[in-house]
Amino acid sequence: MTEASSLPLRNPRTGAHDGDLPITPAAEVAALGQQLRQAQQGWEQQSIEQRCACLSALADALASRREAFMQVLLDDTGRWHESAIEVDGTIAAIRRWAAQAPAVLAEKPAQAEAIGFISSQQTWVAYPVVGIISPWNFPLMLTLIDAVPALAAGCSILAKPSEVTSRFVPLLREALAEAGLGEVFKLVTGAGATGQAVIEASDQICFTGSVATGRKVGEACARRFIPASLELGGKDPALVLSDANIDNAARALAWGSFVNGGQSCMSIERVYVEAPVAEAFTAALVREVSALTLNCEDPAQGQIGPVIAASQVELVRGQLADAKARGARALTGGELVERGGVWCPPTVLVDVDDSMAVVRDESFASVLPVIVVKDEAEAVARANATEFGLSAAVFCGDAQRAERIARQLHAGGISINDACLTGMVQTAEKQSFKLSGMGGSRMGTASIRRFVRARALLINNGTASPWWFPPAA
Ligand code: NDP
């Protein structure tokens, strides 16, 4: 049997197969890796200012194709407002790196060491080929989020976006070529086998995706002794304390749980609310969520887009059926809507418990279970009783109490009196805890240090070292 040379593309709004995605053969991925390894040598020798000038040109090339990028993202994801946020946010992030990277990687003068006649010079050496394997929920942003600082650091890039959402690839290739980056940034397309070929051809991997695939990627990288940055799934909790501003909490969580149809790693997927305000909070949440509408008719109207990946539909259906069979009640939504594509109406669930899949496992959909707790201690304990540790949110009227609670949560990014700030603020360092990931911070200027190895030049000023063997007679 001959291997398939393409994969069908599914439009999430219609459910129709309306295109084909070529599969880059493994041998071609390997050859591209070799080409990149060659090209990277000249790239790293350029000054960081020259490399950042190319990044600014990339931002310009994306900006001049803004509408075209939004259209291909719409075709792959079925949502419009988030596509605008994605394109504009990506352009802004590239411009920020172009401005900041030179100072972050600037070499300092040689330093005196504790041993008086020795000084040291710290230098950085880029990893030649950084492989990027990215998911389908923010296709463009998550393909570039690590690639851009890696390019600034002097690496070349071999990227494989998700097979579900690769329609932007030809357009990005065009923009890269226009920015003078075509030789140091190659994109390949395909599914898991292509991802494995990327790992084989790279010197470091940045993977964003599920825990299950992340484990396979981490193991493959470990076999090759190459570093892996793994940014994986979550089941982010929000804690609503009895002194919280209830209306703000409800509005923030309606956004933080349902933006992008809940298909964001940092989506709030569980709420623990203190009993005294549970009724008022739930009523406010239902009020806010009831105002959200599906974008079935017109992608630019309505806040909730379709379920992007066909593979998600049965997972969400199964979680909802399991929860309802075990006594959960949907105060809004609760049933998937099929119009060719499939929409998950924003669903607030009550009468749930921690043993239900919808509370325990990642949903990655617009489903939000609300759980009443007796006090702060129970809220913290139940929020932490998960294998994930991506991010969380605390709503509390007392700033000191909020901070004290936030410091007890086992997650890398905690929003206080807001939700999902880790998606909007990319300048504060954070790492993933537990199964949500591994590796250095993707956020903040320190993120760029993941792409260089530290090399120390240790310099003797001409003094005979006292530890040498006695001079030969
Ligand atoms: P997957 O893990 O299914 O896929 C991620 C990428 O890995 C895709 O490009 C996929 O290709 C590729 N892949 C699949 N199998 C292999 C393999 N064996 N070896 C190498 N690569 C492989 O994730 P999803 O695309 O479904 O994305 C959703 C997940 O991503 C959620 O769990 C979400 O929480 C997480 N995520 C995490 C973020 C974070 O920052 N922590 C941000 C965004 C999402 P293909 O799609 O073609 O099969």
Side-chain angles (χ1 to χ4, degrees), residues 84-94 96 141 426:
I85 294 172
E86 182 173 2
V87 175
D88 294 342
T90 302
I91 293 168
I94 299 172
R96 196 180 64 242
M141 187 184 80
Q426 298 198 350

Side-chain angles (χ1 to χ4, degrees), residues 7 21 133-138 142 160-166 190-197 199 207-214 216-217 230-234 263-266 309 311-312 362 364 390 430 432 436 442-443:
L7 292 163
L21 179 73
I133 302 175
S134 53
W136 45 260
N137 58 327
F138 286 98
L142 291 172
K160 190 209 82 73
S162 169
E163 74 190 81
V164 179
T165 51
S166 282
T194 312
Q196 286 296 320
I199 296 171
F207 171 84
T208 309
S210 64
V211 173
T213 311
K216 288 185 203 159
V217 169
L230 305 177
E231 297 282 350
L232 310 178
Q263 300 162 114
S264 311
C265 55
M266 69 338 171
S311 58
Q312 277 291 108
E362 189 176 46
F364 222 57
L390 197 58
K430 70 171 196 87
S432 302
S436 287
R442 151 185 277 182
M443 306 297 190

